[in-house]
Amino acid sequence: MPDLSFVFAQSLSGLTAAMFLFLIASGLSLIFGVLRVLNFAHGTFYMLGAYSAYQIVQWLGTGPVTFWVAALGAATGVALLGGIVERFLFQRLYGKEELYQLLFTYALVLILSDVARIIWGTQQKSVGRPPGLTGAVSVFGATIPDYNLFIILLGPAIALGFWYVLQRTRIGRFIRAAALDRETLGALGVNVRALYTGVFMLASFLGGLGGALISPMRAIVPGMDTEVIVEAFVVVVIGGLGSFWGTFLGALIYGQVLSFGILFFPRFSIFSIFALMAAVLIVRPWGLLGRPLK
């Protein structure tokens, strides 16, 4: 029987992983929910966010706010790149079959990955933890890094902010209306093309921010994008494509199943995740909190 403090620490570890996945998967789910595009390149925006944060830290050097400037700068840069990609490339995909979308976004993954290799090489990069979050605290006998606690608190804060914007603001009402009927929204005078670009930039920002924030915890290497996009797809499939709170729930489930799977069934931890996804697809093909596509 594992020690309770160890189980608690394992649960927090799964929660930390879940919050990172939520940041990335929420952008993926937002793009599908509003634009109806399966963006396989979303993981590449996450990778570019990590590389950009590393690059900005190299330019600015060490300082009390260097990491935070790098994280926000990297996420903003990725959002601008996302806006350009959506404006000049993705707008040609709307209304096309999913196969074309997947092939196009996969080609984008290959192109951007090669660009990253040319700029940063193939050696792994790393970013130090920000000053003030390099220590650890003891909670119920478990030692928890300060940075992990920050991520655990940041995830729900972003989720609540996201929910407020979508449910309580004018732009949020436009986004929800665009997800239901873009033609009617356009007929009412709303600039749907600009709205789509804004949504894509917001989703890219979340992906880039996730990559920047994970850079102090994981090595930055080529290929990290394909690994995370598979995890993000599993999260949105479990929670429900296009469902914001479904994505949050899916990320929580993924993090806990993976964390305790490693603890109790180390040889089958990944299997348990995909077995869960398969069970959800059989029982509710549209995800736990999603809705059937019409």
Side-chain angles (χ1 to χ4, degrees):
M1 181 70 181
D3 183 72
L4 288 180
S5 62
F6 182 72
V7 172
F8 180 67
Q10 198 73 7
S11 176
L12 289 182
S13 174
L15 200 55
T16 305
M19 292 303 101
F20 278 121
L21 274 177
F22 168 68
L23 277 178
I24 301 152
S26 59
L28 183 69
S29 185
L30 181 66
I31 290 175
F32 181 80
V34 178
L35 279 62
R36 297 296 175 190
V37 170
L38 286 171
N39 183 19
F40 197 72
H42 193 68
T44 305
F45 292 145
Y46 156 86
M47 181 187 70
L48 292 177
Y51 272 120
S52 299
Y54 162 80
Q55 189 62 59
I56 295 174
V57 168
Q58 294 301 306
W59 285 336
L60 299 181
T62 57
V65 296
T66 296
F67 175 79
W68 305 114
V69 172
L72 289 176
T76 303
V78 171
L80 292 174
L81 174 64
I84 294 171
V85 168
E86 194 278 339
R87 189 72 175 83
F88 294 101
L89 299 176
F90 266 76
Q91 287 197 358
R92 303 173 187 277
L93 290 179
Y94 299 147
K96 304 286 186 183
E97 294 181 11
E98 285 80 4
L99 178 61
Y100 292 116
Q101 298 172 3
L102 284 175
L103 289 175
F104 176 83
T105 54
Y106 185 64
L108 196 60
V109 168
L110 297 178
I111 294 169
L112 293 178
S113 297
D114 279 350
V115 171
R117 283 191 180 91
I118 292 170
I119 296 175
W120 290 288
T122 56
Q123 298 296 317
Q124 69 177 34
K125 313 293 184 187
S126 62
V127 175
R129 298 194 178 197
L133 294 178
T134 56
V137 296
S138 181
V139 182
F140 299 122
T143 301
I144 313 298
D146 291 343
Y147 190 73
N148 289 36
L149 283 180
F150 166 75
I151 295 298
I152 290 172
L153 295 175
L154 179 67
I158 289 178
L160 289 174
F162 214 162
W163 172 84
Y164 181 83
V165 170
L166 288 176
Q167 300 294 329
R168 295 287 187 268
T169 66
R170 182 181 174 85
I171 189 67
R173 287 194 289 274
F174 285 160
I175 291 174
R176 286 186 286 126
L180 295 174
D181 191 342
R182 59 175 293 186
E183 286 77 16
T184 302
L185 188 65
L188 293 173
V190 176
N191 188 340
V192 177
R193 291 184 65 180
L195 181 67
Y196 274 27
T197 303
V199 168
F200 200 94
M201 289 180 69
L202 174 60
S204 302
F205 180 89
L206 291 172
L209 183 64
L213 291 178
I214 208 169
S215 59
M217 299 181 66
R218 290 186 184 177
I220 307 169
V221 291
M224 63 188 293
D225 52 340
T226 53
E227 179 183 346
V228 79
I229 195 63
V230 172
E231 297 173 339
F233 266 118
V234 172
V235 165
V236 297
V237 167
I238 292 174
L241 271 171
S243 169
F244 173 72
W245 288 113
T247 302
F248 190 78
L249 177 63
L252 288 178
I253 293 173
Y254 185 104
Q256 295 303 315
V257 170
L258 181 63
S259 184
F260 284 99
I262 292 172
L263 179 63
F264 294 109
F265 310 104
R267 292 185 178 181
F268 301 101
S269 57
I270 299 299
F271 169 80
S272 60
I273 292 291
F274 288 98
L276 174 64
M277 184 183 74
V280 170
L281 283 173
I282 291 171
V283 178
R284 285 180 64 87
W286 47 89
L288 295 176
L289 299 184
R291 290 181 297 183
L293 293 175
K294 295 180 181 179

